[in-house]
Amino acid sequence: PELTYFWMPLEANEMSTRTEKDFIGEKEIPDYAYYGIQTVRAVENFPITGVPVHRELITALAAVKKAAAVTNMELKMLPRKIGDVIVMAAEEMMKGHHIDHFIVDSIQGGAGTSMNMNMNEILANRGLELLLQNKGDYFHCNPNNHVNMS
């Protein structure tokens, strides 16, 4: 099936942004981006090799996130409306879509937190798009509370 997007790509010379906030402060994130503030901070803090994460690892992580969302819906912990869009976004990632939004370095200063948050933000923001909400409006689909639900 064809992917459905609810935004139009910007011309190369246009750059609109959204403001995302965390406990440290605010950052401007490109509107087109599925990644968010935690990913941008990781890129700034850990510019170690410049080597991207391998595609197979990204798609495997998406499969784990899909399985977690399905399980959390079955346990009635994750609302179906939110879980369904996380599953759809994860399936898109498993097919290789949105890989260009996975921007963290393959070597990170930690135990994979940067990679995990990059995936969580991509799935949350794509989920928001599927819910017809704005990227970064994490009330409706949150990278930590919904995508990263244990």
Side-chain angles (χ1 to χ4, degrees):
E2 188 173 317
L3 297 177
T4 303
Y5 296 94
F6 300 100
W7 55 273
M8 295 299 296
L10 297 171
E11 294 297 322
N13 61 353
E14 295 181 53
M15 179 63 84
S16 62
T17 61
R18 64 182 185 267
T19 303
E20 290 197 16
K21 301 173 186 175
D22 64 9
F23 292 114
I24 298 173
E26 297 181 349
K27 288 253 179 224
E28 293 299 312
I29 309 297
D31 274 336
Y32 68 82
Y34 286 118
Y35 56 81
I37 191 169
Q38 297 298 314
T39 299
V40 170
R41 289 197 190 286
V43 168
E44 292 171 351
N45 291 329
F46 305 113
I48 298 171
T49 67
V51 176
V53 175
H54 202 276
R55 180 184 194 94
E56 280 75 17
L57 184 55
I58 295 169
T59 57
L61 181 56
V64 170
K65 295 295 181 174
K66 175 186 175 183
V70 168
T71 301
N72 285 319
M73 286 189 290
E74 289 173 0
L75 295 172
K76 308 281 191 242
M77 301 292 295
L78 182 63
R80 181 149 302 276
K81 179 179 178 180
I82 298 169
D84 284 345
V85 296
I86 293 170
V87 167
M88 291 170 62
E91 288 173 344
E92 291 175 4
M93 290 290 294
M94 291 163 62
K95 293 175 184 172
H97 301 290
H98 321 304
I99 299 290
D100 55 331
H101 294 268
F102 210 94
I103 61 171
V104 296
D105 197 282
S106 60
I107 305 296
Q108 305 156 36
T113 302
S114 300
M115 188 171 65
N116 189 52
M117 282 308 299
N118 196 164
M119 177 64 73
N120 292 342
E121 289 175 339
I122 292 170
L123 297 181
N125 280 310
R126 178 61 178 136
L128 286 167
E129 193 172 58
L130 292 167
L131 291 169
L132 303 179
Q133 300 294 328
N134 293 321
K135 290 184 195 119
D137 188 0
Y138 296 132
F139 174 80
H140 301 282
C141 185
N142 188 284
N144 284 308
N145 299 336
H146 298 125
V147 180
N148 202 51
M149 184 179 286
S150 60

